[in-house]
Amino acid sequence: LMLQHLRYNYEIASPLWLEIFTQYEYNEFLLLDRRLVGGLGLRVALVNGDKGGVFFGSAAMLEEERLNEEQIAPSEAIQRVNIRSSNYLSAILTPNDGVTWTTTIYFQPRFDAFSDYRLVGETGLSLKLNDNIAFTADARYRRDSAPPKTPQGTANVLPTDVSIKNGIKVSW
């Protein structure tokens, strides 16, 4: 299981940004050998203050997936290329220097088949313990309206999964 995401925001004029992003994902539970994503879009600040903000973003996203051919049904394509709309609403709250709460909801339908969508909700709390160490607690909900099919008699890829994690973040 691996997810790497890189996003760059360029402020055009307050409250508007241009965003470019890329992502790599590997997930054996979703039968993904790889998912490569690249996108370009706009982000607008709906609320932006000293203690946090609310942002909305919308982008066009190219997605390439390669599924594990040994575990998918014969009817499934091993490789898929889709163009999706990637939309999100994100809220960040920083009530003081040591506490940050971030929540983001993504909705990503395919342009050519709107009923094929991904919905992801993420929320995370970071509590700073000192200048270099913070405790983190995160929850993630993921829904795929069209997960890959598996051969009869094998475990299905579930359309919905939830994860809860906590950790220690070290910064320097």
Side-chain angles (χ1 to χ4, degrees), residues 1 12 55 67 99 123 169:
L1 179 66
I12 297 169
F55 305 90
L67 299 175
V99 178
T123 190
K169 180 179 175 181

Side-chain angles (χ1 to χ4, degrees), residues 87-102:
N87 310 282
Y88 69 87
L89 187 64
S90 185
I92 301 168
L93 180 62
T94 53
N96 63 51
D97 286 342
V99 178
T100 303
W101 181 28
T102 304

Side-chain angles (χ1 to χ4, degrees), residues 83-135:
I83 299 175
R84 292 184 180 272
S85 172
S86 180
N87 310 282
Y88 69 87
L89 187 64
S90 185
I92 301 168
L93 180 62
T94 53
N96 63 51
D97 286 342
V99 178
T100 303
W101 181 28
T102 304
T103 298
T104 305
I105 299 170
Y106 297 91
F107 179 63
Q108 299 173 329
R110 277 182 36 194
F111 277 117
D112 64 336
F114 205 73
S115 62
D116 181 351
Y117 66 88
R118 303 233 168 81
L119 177 67
V120 178
E122 301 173 326
T123 190
L125 182 65
S126 176
L127 305 171
K128 202 171 188 180
L129 302 176
N130 63 35
D131 287 342
N132 303 95
I133 299 174
F135 172 78

